[in-house]
Amino acid sequence: MTRLWQLRCHGRARAAAGAAANVVRCVALLCLLLAGVPTAQAHIASNGFLTLNVEGSNLTGTIELAMRDAELAVGLDSNRDGKITWGEVRSHQRDLELYVRSKLSIGDGTSRCSTEFASVEVNERVDGNYLWLPFTAACGTQLTRLALDYRLMQDIDPSHRGLLTVTKWGATQTGVLGGGHGEQSVALDHPSAWRAFAEYLGTGVWHIWSGIDHLLFLLSLLLPAVLRRREQHWEAVPLAKPAFINILKVVTAFTVAHSITLSLAAFDVVRLPSRLTESVIAASIIVAALNNIFPKVTEGRWRIAFAFGLLHGFGFASVLADMGLPPGARVVSLVAFNLGVEVGQLAVVMAVMPLAYVVRASTFYRQTVMKWGSSAIAALAFVWLVQRAIG
């Protein structure tokens, strides 16, 4: 009798220890994911906008930097009350100019252009307020190319990029600056469609890799791909083929759906309010993650991927709305951007899913990854939903 009582106590202790371990895992995953909330509220971490108009040897242009980025860079909130007033912005005009001069170089390839700034203004974009700093630049010689070294926010937020628009004689080119690439050259006399293709391809890859919300949605749908539901429990698929088919269905459905709405939004056929789009994207992550814990859809997850993928397409379109599509290469640039999104997406799938297949039969995968990992993803997405819904 004493032996039986000891065994029962030992069993209860092991169960309690297991439950405690699961709680620790959940808390650790939540802390890891929630640590990224401040920089991952939206799917684009940080953007600046550099617009240049070339006229002979002179330039007119503007540089736009998000208010939140300018605060990190030069400290706009003088009294530290958590609010940035127009008076504080104007009082830091000189600081902003010095910062831009030290982090942005515009030249003709041999010398740097002399830049003069006008008064700072505020411009409202879909993701918040931006400081809008107009300037003129004298380069001394007839400009046939531009040499641009964009290092804004590089030492503060490495994910920051500068979205470039250059116009000369009515021809517009776009590009992406920053990312530690150093000086980049733009040919003005012979705009290249292939250059636009390469720029937008790279932007698409960077966009999906920096868009943690899109990746978490896709990951939530892919985690069960190496499992099957039987007798109210998840168990490992016996062969690789069913897992591969599940992955293919989900990725294809998501790709087709977001390609449709991305194209419609890029050509201004259909547009949705940014707050609505971003809020629904966060909600889609919650739905996909909770479906792993309380399965309602097990064999048709590709339908969820397609339905919510339509909304994610509008999210992808936001970066194109900021960059614009160059008039001479609209279709090429759109195709390149979409292809870049797919390349970035497939790279993540290829990195994660083979490992998931290898460990699919373990308790760690079925409990820690599927159950507690999905719980952490849903919790993080809920934080995003609240942030985005209230603006």
Side-chain angles (χ1 to χ4, degrees), residues 254-336:
F254 185 64
T255 297
V256 171
H258 76 64
S259 297
I260 292 172
T261 47
L262 170 60
S263 301
L264 292 174
F267 287 103
D268 291 319
V269 177
V270 179
R271 280 292 179 91
L272 293 180
S274 176
R275 180 179 295 184
L276 173 63
T277 300
E278 298 299 333
S279 298
V280 174
I281 287 174
S284 72
I285 303 171
I286 298 174
V287 171
L290 291 181
N291 189 62
N292 295 339
I293 307 170
F294 310 104
K296 298 299 181 182
V297 180
T298 56
E299 300 301 322
R301 287 185 304 279
W302 65 269
R303 296 185 179 91
I304 299 177
F306 185 86
F308 284 114
L310 295 172
L311 270 300
H312 282 250
F314 287 111
F316 290 137
S318 64
V319 70
L320 284 184
D322 288 327
M323 288 184 68
L325 291 173
R330 290 173 63 87
V331 175
V332 169
S333 299
L334 176 60
V335 170

Side-chain angles (χ1 to χ4, degrees), residues 213-290:
D213 47 2
H214 300 297
L215 291 180
L216 287 183
F217 171 72
L218 189 60
L219 182 62
S220 297
L221 291 175
L222 289 175
L223 286 178
V226 295
L227 304 173
R228 63 181 179 182
R229 192 74 175 170
R230 178 168 293 185
E231 296 180 357
Q232 305 301 312
H233 296 286
W234 290 111
E235 63 179 35
V237 293
L239 300 172
K241 184 177 179 180
F244 175 78
I245 292 175
N246 286 336
I247 293 170
L248 184 63
K249 286 181 179 179
V250 169
V251 172
T252 301
F254 185 64
T255 297
V256 171
H258 76 64
S259 297
I260 292 172
T261 47
L262 170 60
S263 301
L264 292 174
F267 287 103
D268 291 319
V269 177
V270 179
R271 280 292 179 91
L272 293 180
S274 176
R275 180 179 295 184
L276 173 63
T277 300
E278 298 299 333
S279 298
V280 174
I281 287 174
S284 72
I285 303 171
I286 298 174
V287 171
L290 291 181

